Amino acid sequence: MSWSEGRAALGGDLRVSRGRLDASARAVTLRNSVRHGGADAVVDLSVGTGWDLGAVRIRTDATGHAFVGARGRMDYVEAGVSASYAYGPLYATVGVIGAPSQRAIGGSNVHVYANANAGIPGTPFTILTELGHSSGSVSDPVRAERLRPGGSYTNWRLGLEHRRDRLTIGVDYVGTDISRTANATADRFADRRNAGDRIIGRVQVSF
């Protein structure tokens, strides 16, 4: 689901770590997002930690999402836990991200996902896949449309990327099974026209 109404967005990330604990800040332009009350940008502040259980890497995170320029209170928090495993060129992760019931999102939200990436032998390319499902409780049907238009839904992703030194170039096919049928009452935050299948291009420079 696009957070910038299907338009190009600019983002930046900063991460620092000390021992097992790390913290990150991320800012992304939202282009007056309908889904987030006309917000100009979102700032994500996260803290997390990870540890190894044999060959499995466990990670937990807590994140606060602050929406700059939004009409009304749109900020919310969530936390997640994941387990990752590497086997040769394959790196796979399963996890869950949960947001407790909050007024800003009209209830609670739970996203369960599995993703994997693997280098293609003999090439400089990596293939990426992801499948997820979102559900949760509803206390305000209008605001609940922000994160789950029409209720629970499934999302998917298939991507290809090329990394060279500090530059990453990628293209992704992403989609959901969210219905695009409009609901005049509930669609205040849904932005259903930008919740369907898309081809997305991305460029990242790391320092």
Side-chain angles (χ1 to χ4, degrees), residues 120-192:
I120 302 176
T123 76
F125 297 100
T126 298
I127 190 168
L128 309 97
T129 63
E130 181 166 347
L131 183 66
H133 184 76
S134 293
S135 60
S137 66
V138 175
S139 58
D140 181 337
V142 175
R143 283 185 177 263
E145 295 285 297
R146 283 184 68 190
L147 302 187
R148 295 196 315 280
S152 301
Y153 73 93
T154 298
N155 65 281
W156 50 83
R157 172 195 183 196
L158 178 63
L160 186 70
E161 70 177 26
H162 177 210
R163 295 186 181 183
R164 183 169 183 176
D165 298 326
R166 298 178 178 179
L167 178 66
T168 301
I169 300 175
V171 61
D172 301 299
Y173 163 66
V174 298
T176 73
D177 64 355
I178 295 172
S179 170
R180 295 194 183 188
T181 303
N183 181 320
T185 301
D187 265 9
R188 177 182 171 189
F189 298 109
D191 193 20
R192 290 173 186 265

Side-chain angles (χ1 to χ4, degrees), residues 3 26 42-48 60-67 75-81 96-102 105 107-113 134-135 147-148:
W3 280 23
R26 182 184 188 217
V42 60
V43 178
D44 301 329
L45 302 175
S46 302
V47 293
T60 61
D61 299 271
T63 302
H65 304 280
F67 295 86
D75 305 347
Y76 69 95
V77 297
E78 60 186 2
V81 60
V96 58
I97 302 171
S101 185
Q102 297 160 76
I105 57 174
S108 64
N109 193 72
V110 178
H111 179 67
V112 180
Y113 65 91
S134 293
S135 60
L147 302 187
R148 295 196 315 280

Side-chain angles (χ1 to χ4, degrees), residues 26-52:
R26 182 184 188 217
V28 181
T29 59
L30 296 185
R31 312 286 297 272
N32 303 116
S33 170
V34 169
R35 177 165 285 118
H36 302 301
D40 299 308
V42 60
V43 178
D44 301 329
L45 302 175
S46 302
V47 293
T49 187
W51 61 95
D52 295 323

